[in-house]
């Protein structure tokens, strides 16, 4: 069974958390909702979500995938060294990393964007370019172990790519 980490913080874009969360559960994957501390999280649209674990309680080697929703949450997550270390370790282990909308901000701060094809919400494309990414102005971009998407309208296409990658991961285990 694949183990998924979803990183959230206050002001997460509700649908960018809920859609992946339930999509992963639908596949019967083991999903942990992780934040800076174990607490209730208030979504940008008013949803209340619970972080199962704090980042200090987890180790990257126990996860197959990390998913980073957007909203204003990534700006808070990217300021946390443990979050950045977790994402860097996932990348170094060539684990699947998926980020949508403003989620790639975490990848910028984790310094894993150089020479990668990536997309994001258009307002942060300069951040990706300045971090060395090749900005792709398309709804979804896949570059080896990194899958990025522009906004909620791209989630169906993004999840087709994620589920294809998950099937590949399951065949390896």
């Amino acid at each position: 069974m694949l183990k998924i980490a979803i990183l959230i913080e206050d002001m997460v874009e509700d649908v960018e958390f809920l859609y992946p969360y339930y999509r992963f559960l639908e596949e019967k994957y083991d999903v942990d909702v992780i934040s800076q501390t174990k607490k209730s999280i208030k979504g940008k649209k008013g949803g209340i979500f619970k972080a199962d674990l704090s980042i200090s309680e987890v180790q990257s080697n126990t996860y197959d995938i990390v998913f980073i929703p957007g909203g204003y949450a990534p700006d808070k997550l990217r300021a946390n060294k443990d979050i950045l270390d977790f994402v860097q370790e996932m990348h170094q282990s060539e684990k699947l990393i998926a980020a949508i909308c403003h989620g790639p901000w975490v990848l910028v701060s984790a310094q894993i964007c150089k020479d990668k094809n990536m997309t994001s919400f258009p307002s942060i494309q300069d951040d990706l370019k300045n971090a060395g990414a090749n900005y792709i102005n398309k709804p979804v971009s896949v570059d080896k172990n990194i899958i990025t998407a522009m906004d909620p309208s791209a989630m169906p296409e993004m999840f087709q790519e994620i589920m294809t990658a998950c099937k590949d991961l399951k065949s390896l285990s």
Side-chain angles (χ1 to χ4, degrees):
M1 177 187 326
L2 296 180
K3 191 161 178 79
I4 316 295
I6 301 179
L7 303 181
I8 67 170
E9 188 46 79
D10 286 326
M11 299 302 288
V12 65
E13 184 64 50
D14 299 48
V15 71
E16 293 173 5
F17 164 67
L18 290 170
Y19 184 108
Y21 178 76
Y22 285 108
R23 186 67 186 90
F24 288 131
L25 288 179
E26 181 180 52
E27 293 295 324
K28 305 220 182 318
Y29 298 153
D30 185 6
V31 180
D32 285 336
V33 178
I34 301 165
S35 189
Q36 296 181 80
T37 59
K38 194 173 175 179
K39 63 178 181 174
S40 289
I41 302 291
K42 185 170 184 183
K44 190 174 156 189
K45 302 285 194 294
I48 303 295
F49 314 111
K50 184 162 180 2
D52 302 313
L53 299 164
S54 72
I55 191 66
S56 63
E57 297 177 279
V58 300
Q59 294 182 346
S60 63
N61 64 357
T62 61
Y63 293 93
D64 300 295
I65 300 168
V66 60
F67 187 92
I68 307 164
Y72 301 120
D75 197 37
K76 297 172 187 231
L77 292 169
R78 71 192 294 203
N80 184 300
K81 183 183 180 327
D82 293 335
I83 295 282
L84 300 180
D85 289 346
F86 181 87
V87 172
Q88 286 171 340
E89 290 164 9
M90 293 287 288
H91 183 63
Q92 288 165 356
S93 299
E94 298 181 352
K95 306 254 181 116
L96 185 62
I97 298 170
I100 187 167
C101 197
H102 286 71
W105 259 345
V106 176
L107 310 185
V108 166
S109 294
Q111 300 178 357
I112 63 169
C113 298
K114 188 163 178 50
D115 299 324
K116 301 286 188 246
N117 293 324
M118 301 175 83
T119 193
S120 68
F121 195 73
S123 68
I124 69 165
Q125 68 178 293
D126 289 343
D127 298 312
L128 288 173
K129 291 174 185 175
N130 290 335
N134 303 314
Y135 184 78
I136 307 298
N137 189 19
K138 291 186 178 176
V140 175
S141 176
V142 179
D143 191 325
K144 297 179 183 155
N145 66 314
I146 298 176
I147 299 173
T148 51
M150 280 187 164
D151 59 37
S153 68
M155 285 197 293
E157 182 182 345
M158 179 189 210
F159 266 81
Q160 287 177 349
E161 297 293 346
I162 290 172
M163 290 302 129
T164 297
C166 287
K167 286 178 185 151
D168 292 343
L169 289 172
K170 283 171 66 175
S171 70
L172 295 174
S173 57

